[in-house]
Amino acid sequence: MAKVVAVTGNEACANALRQVNPDVCGIYPITPQTDMMQRFASFIADGKVDTESILVESEHSSMSACIGAAAAGGRVVTATSSQGLALMWEMLHIASGDRLPIIMPVVNRALSAPLNIHGDHSDAMGARDTGWIQIWSENAQESYDNTIQAFRIGEHMDIRLPVMVCLDGFIISHSIERMEYLEDDEVKKFVGEFKNFLPLLNLEKPISYGPLILTDLYHEYKRAQHEVMTKVKDVVLDVAKDFEKMSGRKYGLFETYRLDDADIALVILNSAAGTSKDVIDTFRDKGIKAGLLKPRLFRPFPYEEVAEALKSVKAVCVMDRADSFGGYGPLFMEITSALYHIKERPVLINKIYGLGGRDYLPSHAELVFNELNEIAKGAKVKNIKEYIGVRE
Amino acid sequence: MKPKGWKDLAPGAVVLEGGSAVNFKTGSWRAFRPVWKEENCIQCLFCWLYCPDMAIKVKDGKRAEFDYDFCKGCGICALECPGKKGKKAIEMVEEGK
Amino acid sequence: MATGLTLKELSKKEDRLTHGHRMCSGCGAPTVVKMVLLATDYPVIASNATGCLEVSTCISEYTAWKIPWIHTAFENAAATLSGVETMYRSLKKRGMIDKEIKFIAFGGDGGTYDIGLQSLSGAMERGHDMIYICYDNGAYMNTGIQRSSATPLGADTTTCPAGSVIPGKLRSRKDLTKIMAAHNIPYAAQASPSHWMDLMKKVKKAHEIKGPKFMNILSPCNRGWRSKTNDSITLSKLAVNSCYWPLYEIEDGVTKITYTPKEKVPVAEFMKPQGRFKHLFAPENEWLLKAVQEEVDKEWEKLQKEAKCG
Ligand code: SF4
Ligand code: SF4
């Protein structure tokens, strides 16, 4: 029986991890993730989990220790944000290159400089090419559900890859929302026993992790790693199906909202999708066919499916809460790549919003939809990329 | 041997066979070859201990022949060999001579 | 079963670092590893920092390690192994493993004194049950002999070359063994492959002590030291006998010198056969050679005092 609670995103994720009861957890503080691992540390201290923690001296060591623990053979988790994820960067590639299914909630936060502790997507976007699976979450419920599903996805025998579960710093990590917890034993059953793949702790079969691979084989190893990513989509969908059976909550590669017959649409990640949906309703009330696509699986990116979903829209604005200075926003680049291969494709524009925790307001969404409406009617695109909610 | 394609590789580049380096012979690196003169050997086993390449065989605690498949010819064994009555039990000779 | 420390007994053990590795001819590091593993009478899992030892012992599908082994990156052999050790404890607690397993991290001086110092310090402070072994050859040898904080005073490296104005490295080594001892770990020691019995006894002792242990082992590198391929043992003996590399241990805060040279030889005897110190023997650099000797004397005296105080 599900239990309705009022909790923060951090609390929800910490509880998901408690229910999974992993073998090892790397713990290091960084705002706004800190309180998630703090809560998990209390679960350890109170004997609610059997997990052994490693109270590391940096995120670099956290990921290094998680890699060591995962290679040893067992279920491993950690969590981080922002500078912490940036400091892990080197090790993120090694976790995925070694095919180790480490599960890591990433509480999204801006990157320095200047120093800022609030939510945007610069951190996780910077890690999009690290070979990790990335799943993005709109609210506490999705953060919780995605964290639980991440174990099944990453640990799947055809996959064996690390997974980041992204949720917005403060907006989700620290706001109290109504959501439903699954029962402990339901979660336990859902994730199942950890299956070992190539454990270092198997003394009978001594193996070596981390060889030097030169020009003769490196290219092949990377090709093989890509191949694994091509299998992720199906696993994500299968796991979502099972999850729906248990929870009644439906998940896909992305979520669409009133998109089927839409003339104009936003593509937007995480918490800002909620605000956008409200604005869509008001536009629909005015007779304007607005809709939305919210990516869930960002790596690997479901190009064909996204293209299929957006192909009949006349004008689309891709909203990026991260920037690629001197380039378009990272999400925009994915969506344009997805749509390029379609003959009759929507007109695309890109807005950068909400950096460093800047509020994303309904009025911002309204401005964008009004502009899209004009474009859909034939107006010329003035600027492909623009900042919104920024003072002149 | 045909080089491996990407479908034939171990996941995560993990090396599945411990000690597989025994299949990689390093003997051809050698410019000088150590030669054992058993008559001067006092069986101290220092050569075995100090050889960085595990290229001196020992059977039942007794020094046996060099393993020329792996000896790189560094000469440590010869330098450290005490030998008998000032006569070394290992001599380095130039390869091909 | 514990093996006695006679070469006859030890030679009956299986090589857990096999031949077929690609370390340079005459390198000290494989001998150090071999001695460490010979002194280990337990199942053991190793981690390795990026460096000569790592790249040369595990390439493509060839690994020289007959024990479970992991390399992840340069600066984190200690952190990586702390993860392996923690998983071991976790699974042991859950009754999924019953064997007693030991854990050893190997890192060169670059990966230990410099870039890996934080990770090492963290792992030691956390109290993981492992031995960290630094094979110290006094420079970043794998990348081509660059200066590290373990490079000795006066040495010529590719980033502190002995030039016409600056005669090599003008800073002294970092005293890492003492820095590690200052973590109040139960055991820290210095060893040399020339004194194999001393080295192996220290490894054996370290294995019997629960918690974090650190050993700094001198590892001659004929490429970086610009010496002969056959002199790694001879040079390490001179390093010990000149007190450039004193053999000692600090057990529960008590310092003990484990070997005192019968006759302390001038450090110049250790330096002379090495090309990296060649310029110090030119008349204009006499002052620097003198400074090296003075420093060795001072450190040796200090160590003797510390050993007396207990
Ligand atoms: S020459 Fe070097 S490699 Fe060859 S057996 Fe002697 S010590 Fe070993
Ligand atoms: S070092 Fe010399 S004397 Fe000793 S065992 Fe080897 S060959 Fe014989």
Side-chain angles (χ1 to χ4, degrees):
Chain A
M1 258 299 289
K3 199 163 93 201
V4 177
V5 291
V7 294
T8 65
N10 273 348
E11 192 175 347
C13 287
N15 259 299
L17 299 179
R18 177 189 59 75
Q19 292 177 312
V20 171
N21 193 9
D23 298 303
V24 169
C25 175
I27 298 184
Y28 193 77
I30 185 163
T31 307
Q33 169 282 121
T34 310
D35 127 89
M36 185 193 302
M37 284 293 104
Q38 247 169 236
R39 285 169 193 278
F40 192 72
S42 296
F43 294 145
I44 297 175
D46 295 333
K48 300 233 165 79
V49 287
D50 309 309
T51 313
E52 284 289 332
S53 64
I54 313 182
L55 306 177
V56 281
E57 82 299 332
S58 74
E59 286 92 351
H60 192 283
S61 284
S62 183
M63 189 43 63
S64 304
C66 284
I67 289 169
R75 201 166 256 156
V76 180
V77 301
T78 184
T80 195
S81 294
S82 179
Q83 307 302 121
L85 186 67
L87 188 58
M88 282 181 186
W89 196 79
E90 178 192 30
M91 301 314 297
L92 296 176
H93 289 261
I94 295 169
S96 61
D98 284 356
R99 305 277 307 275
L100 300 170
I102 297 158
I103 306 304
M104 177 164 72
V106 174
V107 184
N108 300 121
R109 168 187 144 182
L111 285 174
S112 289
L115 175 63
N116 176 290
I117 57 165
H118 289 278
D120 76 28
H121 302 157
S122 312
D123 52 3
M125 283 301 167
R128 69 178 177 185
D129 298 336
T130 56
W132 284 56
I133 294 168
Q134 280 192 351
I135 301 173
W136 293 67
S137 327
E138 182 178 329
N139 48 36
Q141 184 75 63
E142 288 190 14
S143 307
Y144 171 82
D145 292 349
N146 284 339
T147 301
I148 292 167
Q149 291 175 68
F151 288 89
R152 283 272 303 272
I153 298 164
E155 290 173 12
H156 191 283
M157 279 312 201
D158 294 344
I159 308 295
R160 305 306 283 197
L161 282 175
V163 188
M164 286 180 206
V165 176
C166 301
L167 57 144
D168 282 349
F170 288 109
I171 301 165
I172 300 306
S173 66
H174 284 65
S175 310
I176 295 177
E177 287 178 66
R178 179 193 177 282
M179 61 161 281
E180 281 179 18
Y181 278 150
L182 296 159
E183 291 296 333
D184 290 359
D185 53 344
E186 281 181 307
V187 175
K188 203 174 156 198
K189 227 177 98 208
F190 181 79
V191 296
E193 285 286 319
F194 180 80
K195 283 195 214 68
N196 257 318
F197 188 47
L198 290 169
L200 266 184
L201 282 168
N202 180 0
L203 298 168
E204 269 64 63
K205 209 178 170 316
I207 55 176
S208 291
Y209 267 91
L212 171 69
I213 302 289
L214 294 171
T215 46
D216 56 340
L217 280 173
Y218 184 87
H219 204 54
E220 281 69 27
Y221 274 109
K222 292 294 135 181
R223 172 66 185 85
Q225 201 176 327
H226 169 75
E227 188 67 12
V228 181
M229 274 295 199
T230 66
K231 297 179 186 158
V232 172
K233 271 191 308 200
D234 287 344
V235 173
V236 167
L237 291 174
D238 283 349
V239 171
K241 235 182 261 157
D242 283 356
F243 191 82
E244 190 187 351
K245 264 185 237 148
M246 170 176 64
S247 67
R249 291 187 290 276
K250 202 174 164 63
Y251 286 93
L253 303 173
F254 46 80
E255 183 199 325
T256 56
Y257 184 74
R258 306 187 84 163
L259 189 65
D260 284 350
D261 62 340
D263 293 324
I264 55 175
L266 294 189
V267 178
I268 195 160
L269 282 163
N270 275 16
S271 65
T275 311
S276 308
K277 286 175 194 169
D278 286 344
V279 174
I280 287 167
D281 290 344
T282 62
F283 272 71
R284 285 274 175 175
D285 291 344
K286 287 189 277 188
I288 299 168
K289 288 182 182 168
L292 169 146
L293 185 145
K294 180 189 77 183
R296 175 176 179 245
L297 183 67
F298 188 77
R299 275 294 176 275
F301 195 83
Y303 293 100
E304 296 85 9
E305 294 82 351
V306 165
E308 185 61 30
L310 289 174
K311 69 173 188 218
S312 316
V313 183
K314 291 189 180 119
V316 172
C317 179
V318 182
M319 306 287 286
D320 269 294
R321 203 166 203 154
D323 205 349
S324 170
F325 308 99
Y328 295 121
L331 184 57
F332 182 79
M333 294 193 236
E334 300 301 347
I335 302 298
T336 46
S337 301
L339 291 170
Y340 179 79
H341 305 278
I342 294 177
K343 241 198 224 123
E344 303 267 317
R345 53 182 178 253
V347 178
L348 283 163
I349 56 172
N350 184 201
K351 305 284 184 205
I352 309 292
Y353 75 100
L355 298 185
R358 172 61 49 88
D359 281 333
Y360 173 67
L361 302 170
S363 59
H364 296 141
E366 282 160 18
L367 275 174
V368 174
F369 276 123
N370 284 332
E371 185 182 341
L372 284 176
N373 203 23
E374 294 305 310
I375 293 170
K377 285 188 205 144
K380 260 187 78 172
V381 172
K382 278 184 242 109
N383 289 304
I384 295 177
K385 175 186 169 182
E386 261 179 346
Y387 275 66
I388 58 170
V390 70
R391 281 187 307 278
E392 290 300 324
Chain B
M1 207 173 68
K2 200 172 146 251
K4 283 189 174 173
W6 66 265
K7 289 174 188 158
D8 311 321
L9 302 174
V14 175
V15 186
L16 302 172
E17 192 198 333
S20 54
V22 297
N23 300 314
F24 188 87
K25 298 195 171 154
T26 52
S28 61
W29 296 21
R30 200 170 48 238
F32 287 86
R33 157 190 288 259
V35 177
W36 185 36
K37 297 184 169 159
E38 202 175 347
E39 64 278 15
N40 295 336
C41 176
I42 58 165
Q43 291 292 342
C44 65
L45 299 185
F46 284 144
C47 54
W48 164 81
L49 176 71
Y50 292 134
C51 172
D53 282 284
M54 284 59 84
I56 293 166
K57 294 178 192 160
V58 175
K59 283 205 181 85
D60 305 322
K62 284 213 163 260
R63 198 230 197 262
E65 252 310 337
F66 286 105
D67 191 339
Y68 290 114
D69 281 346
F70 297 98
C71 165
K72 293 173 188 158
C74 66
I76 291 174
C77 54
L79 187 66
E80 298 305 325
C81 171
K84 203 187 273 174
K85 292 181 190 150
K87 278 195 196 143
K88 292 248 179 209
I90 302 171
E91 197 189 325
M92 300 302 291
V93 296
E94 208 173 330
E95 283 288 350
K97 280 217 171 134
Chain C
M1 224 212 27
T3 318
L5 282 181
T6 66
L7 295 185
K8 201 175 159 133
E9 284 303 306
L10 290 167
S11 71
K12 291 176 186 163
K13 294 182 84 171
E14 181 198 33
D15 290 329
R16 291 200 276 183
L17 178 75
T18 67
H19 47 215
H21 67 70
R22 299 180 218 185
M23 302 293 279
C24 298
S25 175
C27 173
T31 309
V32 167
V33 174
K34 171 181 172 175
M35 288 179 181
V36 168
L37 293 178
L38 278 172
T40 303
D41 290 311
Y42 294 92
V44 59
I45 298 180
S47 85
N48 207 161
T50 309
C52 293
L53 178 67
E54 172 270 322
V55 295
S56 309
T57 54
C58 190
I59 307 180
S60 282
E61 285 158 333
Y62 300 98
T63 180
W65 300 86
K66 267 200 158 167
I67 56 174
W69 177 91
I70 181 167
H71 153 253
T72 63
F74 194 8
E75 65 279 58
N76 61 355
T80 303
L81 195 66
S82 78
V84 181
E85 187 262 0
T86 305
M87 182 57 80
Y88 164 69
R89 274 189 287 115
S90 185
L91 298 183
K92 210 169 183 190
K93 184 173 77 182
R94 288 183 171 189
M96 291 158 81
I97 293 182
D98 49 10
K99 275 213 183 74
E100 168 138 31
I101 302 175
K102 300 290 180 187
F103 299 89
I104 305 179
F106 292 101
D109 48 286
T112 307
Y113 284 66
D114 288 354
I115 199 168
L117 185 61
Q118 176 185 320
S119 147
L120 170 60
S121 174
M124 294 285 118
E125 182 274 328
R126 291 194 295 276
H128 296 279
D129 190 19
M130 59 156 91
I131 310 179
Y132 189 102
I133 288 177
C134 174
Y135 68 99
D136 181 347
N137 52 29
Y140 291 85
M141 299 309 185
N142 190 41
T143 42
I145 320 164
Q146 289 80 29
R147 168 215 203 269
S148 79
S149 58
T151 300
L153 177 63
D156 173 27
T157 72
T158 53
T159 49
C160 60
S164 54
V165 178
I166 307 169
K169 193 188 179 199
L170 294 179
R171 300 284 306 160
S172 302
R173 299 161 47 79
K174 191 191 271 179
D175 195 342
L176 186 63
T177 311
K178 297 226 179 103
I179 293 170
M180 295 327 295
H183 283 66
N184 288 333
I185 53 174
Y187 191 73
Q190 220 162 261
S192 160
S194 54
H195 295 67
W196 62 273
M197 179 80 92
D198 175 81
L199 185 155
M200 288 196 204
K201 273 188 185 158
K202 284 171 177 163
V203 173
K204 271 185 181 293
K205 186 186 254 185
H207 278 312
E208 297 314 317
I209 298 170
K210 249 214 139 23
K213 284 85 59 176
F214 174 80
M215 281 183 71
N216 205 356
I217 307 184
L218 187 69
S219 181
C221 161
N222 57 64
R223 305 283 302 143
W225 294 14
R226 285 187 275 135
S227 59
K228 295 211 218 74
T229 61
N230 65 356
D231 60 10
S232 72
I233 300 302
T234 307
L235 282 179
S236 47
K237 206 173 289 168
L238 284 167
V240 172
N241 286 337
S242 63
C243 298
Y244 164 80
W245 192 266
L247 304 183
Y248 66 98
E249 61 188 9
I250 303 173
E251 193 178 348
D252 284 328
V254 179
T255 305
K256 190 177 146 202
I257 295 171
T258 56
Y259 175 82
T260 307
K262 282 183 203 78
E263 194 195 340
K264 184 164 166 271
V265 303
V267 71
E269 281 188 34
F270 164 63
M271 296 162 83
K272 195 86 201 246
Q274 303 181 46
R276 64 175 172 159
F277 296 121
K278 189 169 161 235
H279 58 291
L280 297 190
F281 294 89
E284 66 271 25
N285 290 327
E286 209 179 314
W287 63 275
L288 190 49
L289 185 62
K290 228 175 104 201
V292 174
Q293 182 65 59
E294 277 165 12
E295 180 172 80
V296 167
D297 292 344
K298 195 180 87 199
E299 289 300 316
W300 175 239
E301 248 167 64
K302 206 163 91 192
L303 183 69
Q304 282 176 308
K305 261 190 218 136
E306 283 161 5
K308 263 200 207 97
C309 299

